[in-house]
Amino acid sequence: VNACVDVVLSGVKLLQALGLNPGNGKDHSILHSRTDLEEAFVHFMGKGAAAERFFSDKEAFQDIAQMASELP
């Protein structure tokens, strides 16, 4: 997750902390929800690739960024 902040963490652990379980992957050009984040993560990590996406929901993004900053 690129949050324009120096946070390096396990994407899998972040998804787990957010209560998300990997399901089907799907590319989203813009992320609107945690589900979109989960689907994009599965889609790109399954291919061994990284991707940057804009997150349109400010509150959801702030919640995710907060959770990321609290993980080791």
Side-chain angles (χ1 to χ4, degrees):
V1 175
N2 180 349
C4 296
V5 178
D6 292 329
V7 177
V8 178
L9 65 141
S10 164
V12 171
K13 290 186 183 203
L14 176 60
L15 292 181
Q16 290 171 338
L18 294 169
L20 301 173
N21 296 309
N24 296 322
K26 182 178 178 183
D27 186 9
H28 295 277
S29 58
I30 296 175
L31 304 177
H32 300 285
S33 67
R34 289 180 177 202
T35 300
D36 288 356
L37 173 63
E38 172 196 340
E39 291 172 348
F41 180 85
V42 170
H43 175 79
F44 287 102
M45 291 302 117
K47 297 177 184 299
E52 292 185 15
R53 295 292 185 258
F54 176 77
F55 209 106
S56 68
D57 184 325
K58 181 180 178 180
E59 290 181 16
F61 177 79
Q62 288 176 338
D63 289 342
I64 292 166
Q66 180 65 37
M67 178 66 68
S69 71
E70 294 173 2
L71 292 173

